[in-house]
Amino acid sequence: MTWFDSFPTAKVGDFTMLVDPRDENIRKHLQDGGVWEPRGTALVEKEFTGGVFVDAGAHWGYYSLLASKKANMVYAFEGSPYNFRYLLLNILINKIDNVVPYPLTLWHETTTLGESFVQGNTGGSSVGKPDGPQIQAVTLDSLDLGPVDFIKVDAEGADGNILKGALKTIATGNPKILVESPPTEFLRGLGYRIKEDVGDGCGPLTYWRRE
């Protein structure tokens, strides 16, 4: 018996993930089939071939775990304290040493933001509620992580704010980008174009590369 046996779990490929029993969306997908966003999952497994992976809006660490199989390093950002606990535990129980978790929200400036929590859908947590629990936000550029090869962004509509705080990172590493709510004109202005729409029943996702 282990200390985490009281947590509900899901088998995700070679990994075991602890999942929040309060969640009626992502948890059910993972426990029923071991996959969230099947088309997005397949794209990451195909297009991320190694190097540095940034997971912005990491939630419980689904994409971070998948990317860790090929990555030199994964930087996983999750501002929600409750979701961050699951992210950290999932890294620990799978004994992964190339995923660095940050209890931060990425943004276009350094500030504090109020969290809005969606009952029954932990993946729907977002920022912008003035009287919500305060979350620290920073820009990706301020962390000086060096060249990045792939950025995945899922921030419940705030994806543009995250990418606008990553201009230096994008210029330095020319990363591939998988994003839920793309700031289309901003990305096009940087020379990016949509290469594939991989949205499915779990939600919208588009894959961008610079031409």
Side-chain angles (χ1 to χ4, degrees):
M1 184 171 180
T2 62
W3 59 267
F4 57 84
D5 282 346
S6 60
F7 286 78
T9 63
K11 191 66 176 175
V12 178
D14 298 329
F15 303 107
T16 297
M17 285 190 67
L18 305 183
V19 294
D20 188 340
R22 304 177 307 167
D23 190 281
E24 297 300 323
N25 186 25
I26 298 175
R27 175 185 61 80
K28 287 187 174 182
H29 280 273
L30 293 180
Q31 289 187 315
D32 290 347
V35 178
W36 172 249
E37 297 177 336
R39 296 182 67 197
T41 297
L43 185 135
V44 168
E45 291 180 332
K46 175 185 175 184
E47 297 292 333
F48 179 61
T49 56
V52 176
F53 187 99
V54 168
D55 191 353
H59 194 242
W60 304 332
Y62 177 81
Y63 280 103
S64 292
L65 297 186
L66 293 179
S68 73
K69 294 186 292 184
K70 297 178 183 178
N72 296 335
M73 191 62 68
V74 176
Y75 297 105
F77 296 86
E78 177 53 53
S80 167
Y82 201 86
N83 287 336
F84 182 79
R85 181 177 74 163
Y86 281 87
L87 168 64
L88 185 59
L89 291 175
N90 283 323
I91 294 168
L92 292 173
I93 67 169
N94 287 285
K95 299 179 179 178
I96 297 172
D97 60 8
N98 64 339
V99 177
V100 179
Y102 286 85
L104 301 169
T105 289
L106 291 180
W107 203 243
H108 63 90
E109 61 180 348
T110 296
T111 186
T112 54
L113 300 165
E115 179 187 13
S116 177
F117 197 82
V118 179
Q119 190 70 30
N121 179 17
T122 59
S125 296
S126 60
V127 294
K129 186 178 180 181
D131 58 346
Q134 295 298 292
I135 293 173
Q136 182 64 41
V138 301
T139 68
L140 184 60
D141 286 345
S142 70
L143 300 173
D144 292 321
L145 299 180
V148 169
D149 299 282
F150 200 109
I151 299 175
K152 167 251 155 185
V153 187
D154 184 346
E156 300 303 305
D159 308 45
N161 286 305
I162 291 174
L163 291 172
K164 288 172 184 176
L167 275 172
K168 183 176 72 174
T169 303
I170 292 171
T172 302
N174 194 29
K176 302 170 182 177
I177 298 175
L178 180 65
V179 56
E180 181 190 46
S181 303
T184 301
E185 294 307 313
F186 173 77
L187 286 173
R188 287 187 176 277
L190 296 177
Y192 278 83
R193 298 294 182 267
I194 294 178
K195 293 301 180 183
E196 193 171 351
D197 184 339
V198 291
D200 52 34
C202 297
L205 274 178
T206 52
Y207 174 52
W208 295 70
R209 292 188 67 173
R210 183 178 276 139
E211 294 184 336

